[in-house]
Amino acid sequence: MSSNTTQPTTTPATSAQQAQPGGQPGSQGSDIPALWRRFAEVIGASAHEARSIIQSTIMPGAKPAEVLAFVAVAAEHRLNPITKQIYAFPTKAGGIAPMISVDGWISLVQRHPLCDGFDFEYRDNGGKPYSVTCRMRRRGWANPVEVTEFLDECQRNTDPWRQAPRRMLRHRAFIQAARLAFGLGGLADEEELEAAPGPLGAEPSKSPKAAREAEFEVLTRGMEQGAQSAT
């Protein structure tokens, strides 16, 4: 007496079923994790296009975990790295820290549903800039958040600070007021990552320091335009 047995067959996984950075094969019936879909909406691309852009232009050579950490911050706060609202900076410890540009902070504040405007007060001493105060108003609060930054505590030996110290102080006051008014913690700006060697994918012909300063000078112009449009 004989018996017939059927051997199980396997079908090779297609490229769409293979593991993708940050996801598992066949996870939830899709190879595109929800995180990548949310990030793709921010930059106006498909999830596959978004992943390709990050890996080829924004964070080339980064580890998958570092890519996911950066994408998580960008998606959570709806910041677009293509329009330079957020950068990926390597840290001294060897990891990657998301850096929010001036344009990014403007976007965070102006999109916040409780933002009720802001204004600045400048103080000079002996004809030289001394301090800048930012008053950030939050709906539902009787008094605005008020933050004052002083030149002697903030100034750096860079062209932006030498050429436009009042404007740079205003940026500092704006960012700190935004953190207090809207609880925007855990987000780093250029000043706090000044010791970093430079953004991944930065122009190689420039030294890291020169690249940082040139980018920051361009980005700070957006702060001035944002403050003017809000008043």
Side-chain angles (χ1 to χ4, degrees):
M1 185 174 181
S2 62
S3 62
N4 296 324
T5 60
T6 302
Q7 297 296 325
T9 60
T10 59
T11 302
T14 64
S15 59
Q17 295 170 324
Q18 293 173 353
Q20 300 290 342
Q24 298 298 326
S27 175
Q28 303 297 323
S30 172
D31 65 324
I32 307 297
L35 174 61
W36 280 104
R37 293 196 295 271
R38 294 200 307 273
F39 175 72
E41 293 176 0
V42 174
I43 66 173
S46 70
H48 286 290
E49 290 170 338
R51 185 158 46 208
S52 176
I53 290 170
I54 285 290
Q55 293 174 337
S56 62
T57 64
I58 306 298
M59 302 181 70
K63 298 177 182 178
E66 294 170 341
V67 171
L68 286 182
F70 176 82
V71 169
V73 173
E76 173 68 19
H77 297 284
R78 300 194 65 80
L79 296 170
N80 190 339
I82 297 177
T83 58
K84 303 187 185 304
Q85 293 179 337
I86 184 172
Y87 285 100
F89 264 70
T91 66
K92 284 186 173 181
I96 300 280
M99 187 277 285
I100 312 301
S101 72
V102 175
D103 284 348
W105 283 100
I106 292 171
S107 177
L108 287 172
V109 169
Q110 293 186 338
R111 286 188 286 109
H112 199 286
L114 297 179
C115 177
D116 198 28
F118 51 88
D119 59 69
F120 300 94
E121 178 182 339
Y122 302 82
R123 292 183 61 193
D124 285 6
N125 184 9
K128 296 181 179 181
Y130 176 73
S131 67
V132 174
T133 297
C134 177
R135 296 182 184 89
M136 190 83 62
R137 292 180 291 278
R138 175 177 172 132
R139 292 188 179 93
W141 288 12
N143 300 309
V145 170
E146 185 173 306
V147 172
T148 300
E149 293 286 345
F150 298 90
L151 184 66
D152 61 356
E153 296 178 351
C154 300
Q155 189 169 27
R156 296 166 53 203
N157 187 28
T158 63
D159 286 341
W161 279 100
R162 287 190 293 267
Q163 296 170 4
R166 293 176 181 84
R167 185 174 63 187
M168 299 301 290
L169 272 181
R170 182 176 62 194
H171 301 158
R172 299 300 302 154
F174 180 91
I175 291 170
Q176 298 307 325
R179 283 174 164 154
L180 291 174
F182 306 117
L184 300 174
L187 301 177
D189 60 38
E190 164 73 12
E191 297 288 294
E192 294 163 337
L193 293 175
E194 61 181 353
L200 295 182
E203 185 179 340
S205 61
K206 293 182 179 179
S207 69
K209 180 179 179 181
R212 280 202 316 277
E213 293 182 5
E215 290 166 358
F216 196 35
E217 172 64 11
V218 172
L219 291 171
T220 53
R221 297 172 187 167
M223 174 67 75
E224 191 165 48
Q225 296 171 356
Q228 290 173 347
S229 63
T231 57

